[in-house]
Amino acid sequence: MKLLLALALLFLSACVGQTPVAGGGPPPAADAMKLAPGDKVKVTTYGEPTLTGEFQVTPAGTVAFPLIGDVQAAGLDPAALAGALEAKLGAGYLLNPKVAVEVLTFRPIYVLGEVQKPGEYPYTPGLTIRGAVAKADGFTYRANQKKVFVKRAGEAGETEYPLTADFAIMPGDTVRFSERYF
C-alpha cells in the first residue's frame, strides 16, 4: 500500500508545472495577455473621480495619465500597471493611493485567407479558432480545414498547426487559412 501511494505521488509530481494545451495548438505566449499598444484600459483611482477613466495604450506603449504624464503600460499586466500608477501617484500627489486597472478591450485579431469575410475582428477572452471562423462568417468552399497558420503578436513569422476546434487564439494573433488542393 505504501509503495502504491509512493508511486502515485511520484507520478503526480511529474505532472506539476505541465500546462495542458487545448487542441494541440501552440501554448499561449507568457506575455500574450499583457498590455500592448492598442489595448484599452479602465483605471479607477478610489476616492479620486478626476483620476478615473478609460485610457488607450499608445503606439509607444504608454498611457497618458493626469498629473503624472506618460506611464509605461506595454509588457505589464493590469495589476502591475495599477502598482506603477500607485507608486507614481504616491510620490507627491496622493496619500496612500489605491488604483485598479481593468482591460476593456484587447488589440484585435486578424482572420485571413479562405474565410467568407477576412479582416480585423475584436478579441474576446477565451476565443478559439472556431470563434474566429464564426466571426469571419465561416470557411469558403476552397478552405483547407485540416491546418491553420498562426502568427502570434511579437513573433517573426507564422507557424503551421493542425486545425482543432478548441485551438486558443490570443490578442493580436493573425490567423490564416490556406486553400486546399484536391
Side-chain angles (χ1 to χ4, degrees):
M1 183 67 180
K2 287 184 180 180
L3 179 60
L4 185 59
L5 181 60
L7 287 173
L9 288 174
L10 181 62
F11 174 74
L12 288 175
S13 68
C15 296
V16 173
Q18 300 287 328
T19 305
V21 178
D31 60 350
M33 297 307 279
K34 294 194 177 183
L35 297 172
D39 291 344
K40 188 173 187 180
V41 295
K42 179 180 180 186
V43 178
T44 304
T45 307
Y46 296 101
E48 298 292 333
T50 58
L51 298 177
T52 296
E54 297 178 3
F55 301 89
Q56 185 90 22
V57 179
T58 67
T62 62
V63 170
F65 200 76
L67 290 180
I68 56 177
D70 289 342
V71 177
Q72 183 63 35
L76 301 178
D77 60 27
L81 177 58
L85 290 169
E86 286 176 355
K88 288 197 174 206
L89 287 170
Y93 296 102
L94 297 177
L95 182 63
N96 196 21
K98 296 293 179 207
V99 176
V101 175
E102 166 188 8
V103 178
L104 295 176
T105 59
F106 283 103
R107 55 209 170 276
I109 64 162
Y110 302 91
V111 183
L112 308 173
E114 295 298 324
V115 290
Q116 296 294 330
K117 292 185 180 175
E120 177 183 303
Y121 294 95
Y123 174 81
T124 52
L127 184 66
T128 63
I129 201 71
R130 183 183 313 188
V133 171
K135 285 178 183 267
D137 282 352
F139 292 112
T140 65
Y141 72 94
R142 294 182 304 238
N144 183 342
Q145 297 182 35
K146 296 185 181 193
K147 63 182 175 179
V148 61
F149 295 89
V150 176
K151 181 187 175 301
R152 297 276 189 213
E155 290 182 358
E158 60 183 24
T159 306
E160 178 183 335
Y161 296 100
L163 182 62
T164 59
D166 54 353
F167 184 97
I169 301 297
M170 304 308 292
D173 279 359
T174 299
V175 180
R176 184 175 62 84
F177 297 97
S178 63
E179 185 177 4
R180 68 177 158 81
Y181 300 103
F182 303 91

